[in-house]
Amino acid sequence: MKTRDRIIHSALALFNEQGEPNVTTNHIAADLGISPGNLYYHFRNKEEIIHSIFDQYALDLSTGFQPEVPAESDEQRLLAYLDATFQLMWRYRFFYANLPDILSRDAELQNKYLEAQQALKANLFAMLSRFRETGWLDMDDEALQSLCSTLKLVASSWIFYQSAQSPQAKVTPVVIYQGVLQILNMVSPMTTDKGRAVVSGLIGHYREQMESTKAASDSA
């Protein structure tokens, strides 16, 4: 792995474990066993590192929520979307946890974030439209747009909300699974009978995943 990539990888891990405000470029350099000067050769400051991490996040966001992801069935396609939601929230949890603070410090990053969110909303609308065609939803375009906005709101604010409720608590995979379940429980009343059966099955799936993860953590 190139030094630049190692810096990004280390920074992401440290931000996630310790919180972005608590990590400096000196911490990142020490974690890698390199000099601060070596780090500054690749990045002038921590903000540039955050930008690079965000660029990877935006790429993952766009590829994980393509309306036509390969799948054997629409049920598998929906599962893939939800798994992508879980993976993004977990991999970039520092960003979700500190989103208002990070964006308030960097106007350029905020513009990048808004562009990524606009692209996500377009993809979400296309996805929901597909599920409407499948017969899982019975909503007009205005209602679908409203649902897109609500889903984005819940996903983007879930970790920040949980962190605010328990500031000393760590964000764990269980917390992320709770967010996925919150999304499913919120969508379920809006579905048709056919769609509700699919969502019910997914709720059962993620509850099992959550309980399994919790049991493994308790026994460790």
Side-chain angles (χ1 to χ4, degrees), residues 14 49-50 68 71 80 95 125 137 141 147 158 176 178 205:
L14 290 173
I49 299 175
I50 293 174
E68 295 298 331
F95 187 71
F125 184 82
L137 295 168
D141 284 355
L147 180 56
W158 180 255
I176 311 297
Q178 289 171 341
H205 167 76

Side-chain angles (χ1 to χ4, degrees), residues 49-115:
I49 299 175
I50 293 174
H51 270 266
S52 292
I53 292 174
F54 179 83
D55 290 343
Q56 183 60 56
Y57 162 78
L59 178 62
D60 290 346
L61 192 68
S62 65
T63 56
F65 292 89
Q66 287 294 328
E68 295 298 331
V69 295
E72 295 180 359
S73 65
D74 284 312
E75 288 87 344
Q76 287 297 317
R77 185 169 286 107
L78 180 54
L79 179 62
Y81 293 144
L82 292 167
D83 281 345
T85 300
F86 174 87
Q87 290 160 11
L88 277 170
M89 292 173 73
W90 176 246
R91 184 178 184 190
Y92 302 99
R93 55 194 181 276
F94 88 91
F95 187 71
Y96 288 99
N98 300 302
L99 183 62
D101 179 55
I102 292 173
L103 295 183
S104 69
R105 303 192 317 249
D106 192 327
E108 182 183 352
L109 187 63
Q110 184 170 33
N111 286 334
K112 280 186 177 182
Y113 175 77
L114 292 175
E115 288 177 6

